[in-house]
Amino acid sequence: MTGPLIEAAGLTKRFGSALAVGDVSFAVHAGEVVGLLGANGAGKTTTIRMLLGLLAPTSGQARLLGGSPSQDNRALLGYVPQNLGLYHDLTAAENAAFSAAAYDTRPASLTGALAEVGDRLVRALPLGLQRQLAFVCALQHAPRALVLDEPTSGVEPLARAHLWDTIREQADDGVGVLVTTHYMQEARQCDRLLLMSRGRIVGEGSESDIVGDTRVVAVRSGSWQQAFDVLHGADLPVTLAGTTVRVVDADHDEVARMLADSGVQATVEPVPASIDERMVVLARS
Amino acid sequence: MTYGTEHVSVRFGNVQALDQVTVSTDAGTVTAVVGGDGAGKSTLLRTVVGRIAPAGGRVLAPPEQQIGYQPSVGGTWADLTVAQNLEFVGGTYGLQGSRLARRSEELIERAGLTAARDRLARDLSGGMRTKLGFCLAMVHEPTLLVLDEPSTGVDPVSRVELWRLLSEVAAAGTAVLLSTTYLDEAERASRVVVLKDGRTLLSGSPDEVIASSPGVVVRTDTAIRQGFAWRHADGFREWWPQVPDGQQPVQVDLEDVAIIASLIQHRSIE
């Protein structure tokens, strides 16, 4: 099959008068990792639930492997939900066996650190191992598409790099991957990004496509606390990176003038914005 | 004032949860404790706030009444409204009457929770609940604020909000100690301690930690050094003791440095 593995076509979901997802269209093809970004409440999880066939759209269409989401094509999909979806009162090996049976396949043998804890209850495993196990359960039936909802939340850097090895290997083998994340290091591992805000797709492409023309001014000052107070007091969206004060979506000259008027000595310069900062702009607009 | 620990060790039965860990935070600064699940972050913070007695070493902390602590789970009262949470927790610190009311309103406003003041904590979004937890830890104007993974599971917009609140209290002179699993976040702190298996892997200012990382890192499309390569953005990063011929080293960040330290530690154990 050459068409998209996962596809949203004008997907819309209303809950009463509230628009949760509005006219969302995108596709995930074989071999690519697509990152779905957005603040809480942006509509990411509702979109995923419609794509999986767990929630009926108000209008528009969800397609999995070319057809409507159903038991049959869901069997060709691997899904790691945010809460991992493991059975806490079963052992690691029993979880793998149960999930294999549900997909009518043979359980994968547990390897590495998981091999040593196969007979332990999942509830007794550290979160990092639980995540590895959730990946095993999602992958052992050799799915053609993967949906991962915040797959590495709470994992230390090396373990996170290893989980991303697994994700990229899957993509190299031709699996299409849709992954949600809140973390920009992870967003950079994706081939393509989608940014959602208030139910709609508001940005698509690379990191710089997403950031667009969002402007950030960096303020460096020996009296950075005072600089912070002045700018925050003026109701500007201010953040701190170390002792550098960052002002999102602000005018360079205006910031410089405010600081000068308050007698704060500082260097003020425009710097590239991050995706996080783009989201702050969207949330304020 | 400087708060924290000096060479603190904690044992739970046979398990060495912390082994000679030193961490410090000064008035007006933020120190971040970084590590994965089971690294010892919560144990360290709980030791600083006096909930765990160390087997060895020293804890430097103000009296209990001057410590604000937000645990990694819970910390807010699900069946009370936002305003009631503040009233209740403020009361336990001896605040009352108009002083408590003023302090509550001030915190609610600063945290952007005004529209949610009469909502039950159980009905708040994760980001809002985190901000409420922060307000509760701050209600009695502590000199030391300790936050256990305040940003885990919190979206980027709420994280920026949280850092704004943190920056404000630090700018006002509070010493802040927080834990996180994310190194991009730790780069905003004045000081960082990276823990692994209860031991200090790295510590110092973000710049110091990055500068002290041994060897060099190069970017490559195909990793050739098994065990010393990891994914980064659209390729691999690979660690070398010295610059390999014809290659250009790249600027590393805290995340790279933590990975390198873990890889080297792995090797030395094997």
Side-chain angles (χ1 to χ4, degrees):
Chain A
M1 193 179 69
T2 53
L5 297 173
I6 301 171
E7 192 180 7
L11 266 188
T12 299
K13 182 69 190 179
R14 291 183 178 278
F15 294 111
S17 62
L19 182 75
V21 172
D23 196 21
V24 163
S25 297
F26 64 86
V28 180
H29 292 87
E32 69 172 350
V33 181
V34 176
L36 185 58
L37 314 176
N40 287 341
K44 302 189 300 286
T45 302
T46 305
T47 300
I48 286 180
R49 288 173 57 80
M50 287 190 283
L51 288 170
L52 296 176
L54 302 174
L55 188 67
T58 308
S59 62
Q61 269 195 314
R63 284 194 210 94
L64 272 185
L65 299 120
S68 300
S70 68
Q71 197 115 4
D72 284 343
N73 55 23
R74 266 205 302 272
L76 299 170
L77 179 94
Y79 175 44
V80 179
Q82 226 173 89
N83 61 11
L84 303 182
L86 298 170
Y87 296 92
H88 286 190
D89 292 325
L90 297 183
T91 65
E94 284 165 349
N95 264 278
F98 181 77
S99 149
Y103 283 107
D104 201 15
T105 186
R106 290 159 55 88
S109 56
L110 300 177
T111 56
L114 276 178
E116 293 162 29
V117 297
D119 58 354
R120 279 174 59 192
L121 292 182
V122 161
R123 67 166 68 257
L125 295 183
L127 184 68
L129 284 178
Q130 290 189 21
R131 280 196 189 280
Q132 284 181 34
L133 179 62
F135 268 64
V136 169
C137 291
L139 293 175
Q140 58 189 350
H141 62 289
R144 305 210 10 231
L146 265 179
V147 175
L148 310 169
D149 203 356
E150 294 186 34
T152 69
S153 186
V155 176
E156 52 103 11
L158 186 58
R160 184 155 62 234
H162 285 155
L163 285 175
W164 271 95
D165 276 341
T166 307
I167 296 171
R168 295 291 341 178
E169 277 163 20
Q170 290 291 318
D172 290 347
D173 289 345
V175 174
V177 185
L178 180 66
V179 53
T180 72
T181 178
H182 280 154
Y183 291 95
M184 299 310 127
Q185 291 270 14
E186 296 201 327
R188 292 190 189 113
Q189 308 255 11
C190 299
D191 299 312
R192 202 152 53 81
L193 299 170
L194 300 162
L195 176 61
M196 286 188 78
S197 176
R198 294 177 191 163
R200 295 185 187 275
I201 302 242
V202 295
E204 191 165 358
S206 66
E207 183 175 358
S208 64
D209 293 331
I210 298 270
V211 168
D213 55 3
T214 304
R215 296 173 305 174
V216 171
V217 203
V219 177
R220 294 184 182 85
S221 169
S223 39
W224 58 272
Q225 290 163 327
Q226 213 188 332
F228 183 91
D229 284 346
V230 168
L231 299 168
H232 178 57
D235 204 27
L236 291 172
V238 196
T239 63
L240 265 186
T243 56
T244 302
V245 181
R246 291 173 70 96
V247 196
V248 185
D249 210 25
D251 181 67
H252 169 277
D253 294 349
E254 192 192 344
V255 168
R257 186 181 47 77
M258 275 182 193
L259 292 170
D261 287 354
S262 306
V264 181
Q265 294 222 335
T267 60
V268 181
E269 61 167 341
V271 291
S274 65
I275 297 178
D276 290 9
E277 286 164 334
R278 172 75 191 144
M279 289 193 207
V280 171
V281 173
L282 288 169
R284 281 172 66 98
S285 64
Chain B
M1 272 310 286
T2 299
Y3 303 118
T5 63
E6 283 175 356
H7 308 291
V8 143
S9 295
V10 170
R11 295 185 69 86
F12 298 126
N14 294 329
V15 180
Q16 183 89 40
L18 290 178
D19 187 6
Q20 306 244 357
V21 175
T22 296
V23 63
S24 69
T25 183
D26 296 324
T29 70
V30 178
T31 294
V33 180
V34 191
D37 182 56
K41 302 187 300 294
S42 294
T43 303
L44 180 60
L45 299 194
R46 288 166 58 82
T47 305
V48 171
V49 302
R51 301 209 177 180
I52 294 174
R58 222 153 75 92
V59 175
L60 307 164
E64 199 186 340
Q65 286 286 320
Q66 289 171 34
I67 300 175
Y69 171 56
Q70 181 181 8
S72 60
V73 283
T76 60
W77 301 87
D79 292 325
L80 299 181
T81 66
V82 167
Q84 287 167 340
N85 261 280
L86 278 156
E87 210 174 295
F88 174 60
V89 174
T92 64
Y93 284 108
L95 291 173
Q96 47 183 294
S98 60
R99 188 159 161 246
L100 174 55
R102 252 201 324 275
R103 180 69 180 153
S104 296
E105 287 313 311
E106 179 198 337
L107 286 168
I108 286 174
E109 199 203 315
R110 259 173 40 194
L113 290 171
T114 308
R117 69 185 304 285
D118 295 320
R119 264 161 75 183
L120 294 180
R122 68 164 73 256
D123 296 332
L124 299 177
S125 71
M128 284 172 124
R129 207 174 307 130
T130 297
K131 285 192 278 186
L132 173 59
F134 176 89
C135 293
L136 296 178
M138 278 304 293
V139 68
H140 56 300
E141 299 181 62
T143 53
L144 171 63
L145 177 63
V146 178
L147 309 169
D148 198 354
E149 294 202 35
S151 66
T152 295
V154 172
D155 72 69
V157 172
S158 301
R159 271 202 296 161
V160 169
E161 279 280 287
L162 184 71
W163 272 90
R164 178 179 62 74
L165 291 169
L166 276 175
S167 308
E168 264 176 46
V169 302
T174 306
V176 181
L177 180 63
L178 62 87
S179 64
T180 174
T181 51
Y182 284 92
L183 285 143
D184 57 344
E185 191 161 84
E187 282 191 37
R188 295 176 199 164
S190 309
R191 226 171 295 164
V192 182
V193 174
V194 181
L195 293 184
K196 188 166 187 182
D197 303 330
R199 294 208 181 97
T200 305
L201 206 53
L202 300 164
S203 112
S205 74
D207 288 344
E208 283 165 7
V209 168
I210 289 171
S212 69
S213 188
V216 295
V217 172
V218 297
R219 194 202 155 278
T220 168
D221 289 326
T222 40
I224 54 170
R225 296 191 77 213
Q226 270 304 322
F228 286 104
W230 62 98
R231 298 233 179 224
H232 187 98
D234 55 343
F236 289 91
R237 290 196 165 188
E238 203 165 48
W239 182 81
W240 292 81
Q242 277 121 25
V243 187
D245 282 349
Q247 301 236 45
Q248 199 57 36
V250 294
Q251 177 64 48
V252 294
D253 58 22
L254 262 188
E255 176 124 359
D256 295 321
V257 170
I259 289 173
I260 294 165
S262 299
L263 290 172
I264 292 175
Q265 189 200 38
H266 266 271
R267 282 294 148 130
S268 61
I269 291 169
E270 275 168 15

